[in-house]
């Protein structure tokens, strides 16, 4: 698959050959769903906690005698039936995380990349650049040639600290490196901007994994 490579000014420079085994696969919607659900589950902190009947502070004594009052026959004030009593089957701290097969994760990433690559406007390859000043305004000047007030993902070739510093004040922009992709960010990004080196590395990285 051939893709155009653009300059930071939005001008077409050349074309790049992308691996069809990574960017040209049939889209598997099921495995994309499983990968995104897995990521969201692993992000849950699971700290919700309620007190049961045995954990609520209070007396164990019955509030009045069993018979002769004409009132309901019930136990102490810690009963779940009363305000301030324990909670029945309430949540307790737990780990919501789980693992899915590595092959499923890889297929999900390749399916999302293939989905984005089907549309010329949703996957854009840009020449390698950085923002040496680390200033947001310098990055915005570059991005305005490709993104118009929409959620975007910038895929990097490495952990560029200055580039991430420049983009941390842009709420609609998220950063990924080619070997640490996240299915949720990649799928819901309306536009995927990819550095040329990152695109080349992706073609070899996921193709090599598929050959194992």
């Amino acid at each position: 698959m051939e893709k155009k490579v653009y300059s930071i000014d939005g001008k077409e420079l050349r074309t790049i050959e992308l691996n069809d085994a990574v960017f040209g696969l049939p889209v598997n919607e099921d495995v994309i769903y499983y990968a995104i659900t897995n990521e969201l589950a692993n992000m849950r902190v699971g700290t919700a906690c309620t007190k049961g009947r045995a954990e609520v502070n209070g007396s164990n004594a019955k509030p009045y005698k069993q018979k002769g009052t004409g009132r309901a026959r019930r136990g102490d004030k810690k009963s779940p039936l009363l305000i301030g009593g324990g909670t029945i089957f309430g949540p307790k701290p737990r780990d919501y995380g789980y693992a899915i097969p590595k092959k499923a994760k890889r297929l999900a990433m390749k399916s999302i990349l293939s989905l984005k690559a089907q549309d010329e406007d949703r996957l854009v390859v840009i020449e390698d650049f950085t923002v040496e000043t680390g200033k947001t305004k310098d990055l915005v000047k570059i991005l305005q040639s490709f993104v118009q007030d929409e959620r975007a993902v910038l895929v990097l070739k490495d952990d560029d600290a200055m580039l991430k510093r420049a983009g941390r004040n842009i709420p609609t922009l998220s950063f990924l490196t080619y070997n640490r992709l996240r299915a949720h960010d990649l799928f819901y990004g309306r536009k995927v901007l990819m550095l040329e080196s990152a695109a080349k590395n992706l073609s070899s990285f996921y193709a090599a994994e598929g050959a194992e």
Side-chain angles (χ1 to χ4, degrees), residues 46-66:
T47 55
C49 182
T50 55
K51 290 184 178 182
R53 182 169 188 164
E55 299 167 304
V56 175
N57 288 329
S59 172
N60 292 326
K62 287 169 65 70
Y64 39 80
K65 63 181 183 178
Q66 175 81 355

Side-chain angles (χ1 to χ4, degrees), residues 127-164:
E127 64 174 341
D128 292 352
F129 71 91
T130 187
V131 180
E132 296 180 357
T133 61
K135 293 184 177 181
T136 303
K137 65 178 182 180
D138 293 335
L139 179 57
V140 170
K141 189 180 298 184
I142 296 173
L143 294 179
Q144 64 186 7
S145 301
F146 307 99
V147 181
Q148 304 295 329
D149 297 327
E150 55 191 339
R151 183 186 293 184
V153 179
L154 183 57
V155 182
L156 309 176
K157 60 179 179 177
D158 52 27
D159 191 15
D160 191 331
M162 296 304 287
L163 188 54
K164 288 184 176 180

